[in-house]
């Protein structure tokens, strides 16, 4: 393995698996504490190298209340979930969210078991688990709306497909865009990823 000092990423046979820049570009709202979780994918030609890189990243994130987990590795790509466990617990405590997740076999009173069940559903051959929106902090009406409408008839589309007030959804999308731009700019100026994480 070769470590690139400027991007703090692990390379395997010349292929960059993950960089802090990639994490910031896709997960800034979670790092900033305004969103429960984010997803991104990265190259994964070697699972051992990915595991090593995630361990390195989590040594920085976990003390700040954030975790990064591989949800699925498929066809040379890894789907990474970066989230705030405390925020997820609060989201899962919502009565309506609990009702939705119970329909898909989750145990909402245990957030860790819920994440494990999500991983199992993602790795099965069944339909994509669209309830994943709950784990990302999407408004429940949008998660339910997407499932009921099979992704059609949405009122607004940005970071996800919204089914409620389009103006409210757009304001949230704009907030996430501004957050991402600000975090990326600070990182380019030399700010460490740990300094971009809100308490």
């Amino acid at each position: 393995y070769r470590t690139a000092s400027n991007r703090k990423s692990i390379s395997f046979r010349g292929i960059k698996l993950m960089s802090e820049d990639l994490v910031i570009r896709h997960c800034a709202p979670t790092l900033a504490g305004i969103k429960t979780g984010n997803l991104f994918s990265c190259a994964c030609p070697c699972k051992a190298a990915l595991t090593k890189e995630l361990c390195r990243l989590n040594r920085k994130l976990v003390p700040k209340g954030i975790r990064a987990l591989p949800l699925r590795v498929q066809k040379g790509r890894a789907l990474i979930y970066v989230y705030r466990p405390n925020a997820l617990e609060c989201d899962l405590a919502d009565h309506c969210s609990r009702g939705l997740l119970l329909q898909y076999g989750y145990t909402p009173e245990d957030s860790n078991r819920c994440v494990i069940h999500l991983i199992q559903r993602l790795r099965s051959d069944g339909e994509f688990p669209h309830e994943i929106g709950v784990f990302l902090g999407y408004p429940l009406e949008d998660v339910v709306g997407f499932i009921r409408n099979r992704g059609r008839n949405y009122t607004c589309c940005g970071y996800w497909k919204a089914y409620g007030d389009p103006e409210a959804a757009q304001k949230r999308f704009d907030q996430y865009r501004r957050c991402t731009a600000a975090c990326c700019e600070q990182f380019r100026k030399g700010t460490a990823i740990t300094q971009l994480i809100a308490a």
Side-chain angles (χ1 to χ4, degrees):
Y1 306 116
R2 178 169 55 83
T3 302
S5 59
N6 61 332
R7 289 298 184 188
K8 297 192 174 89
S9 63
I10 285 181
S11 294
F12 177 76
R13 295 178 185 169
I15 299 174
K16 185 166 65 175
L17 299 183
M18 191 188 314
S19 68
E20 291 182 359
D21 176 66
L22 184 68
V23 175
I24 293 165
R25 280 189 285 118
H26 290 282
C27 307
T30 297
L31 299 179
I34 60 174
K35 195 168 182 287
T36 297
N38 282 97
L39 288 175
F40 70 93
S41 68
C42 65
C44 182
C46 173
K47 289 184 180 180
L50 178 70
T51 298
K52 186 175 181 179
E53 176 66 356
L54 284 171
C55 286
R56 182 201 64 77
L57 180 63
N58 276 314
R59 281 195 292 271
K60 296 182 178 184
L61 299 184
V62 171
K64 300 285 188 176
I66 300 175
R67 291 181 190 160
L69 297 174
L71 295 186
R72 182 175 66 187
V73 178
Q74 189 177 62
K75 298 179 181 179
R77 303 286 299 178
L79 183 64
I80 308 298
Y81 178 40
V82 175
Y83 73 110
R84 290 179 171 266
N86 289 343
L88 179 61
E89 282 186 19
C90 290
D91 292 350
L92 297 182
D94 176 75
H95 177 73
C96 295
S97 295
R98 289 170 60 86
L100 174 67
L101 294 179
L102 285 169
Q103 296 177 38
Y104 296 99
Y106 291 88
T107 52
E109 63 276 6
D110 187 330
S111 61
N112 288 329
R113 287 178 65 184
C114 282
V115 172
I116 291 170
H117 189 61
L118 174 64
I119 291 172
Q120 292 169 341
R121 282 177 53 75
L122 275 164
R123 295 179 182 180
S124 73
D125 294 327
E127 185 177 328
F128 186 87
H130 293 296
E131 73 277 3
I132 196 171
V134 173
F135 293 80
L136 301 172
Y138 296 174
L140 186 64
E141 67 175 331
D142 296 339
V143 178
V144 173
F146 186 95
I147 294 171
R148 288 178 177 170
N149 290 275
R150 298 185 177 275
R152 299 186 294 269
N153 306 319
Y154 49 89
T155 59
C156 181
C157 186
Y159 281 81
W160 61 84
K161 290 181 178 178
Y163 288 81
D165 181 356
E167 290 187 10
Q170 194 59 59
K171 284 181 180 178
R172 188 172 295 196
F173 298 155
D174 289 342
Q175 180 188 28
Y176 294 161
R177 277 191 284 268
R178 290 194 301 271
C179 173
T180 300
C183 286
C184 287
E185 178 64 19
Q186 288 300 311
F187 186 69
R188 280 193 293 270
K189 290 179 177 179
T191 303
I193 189 171
T194 51
Q195 293 177 287
L196 294 174
I197 299 174

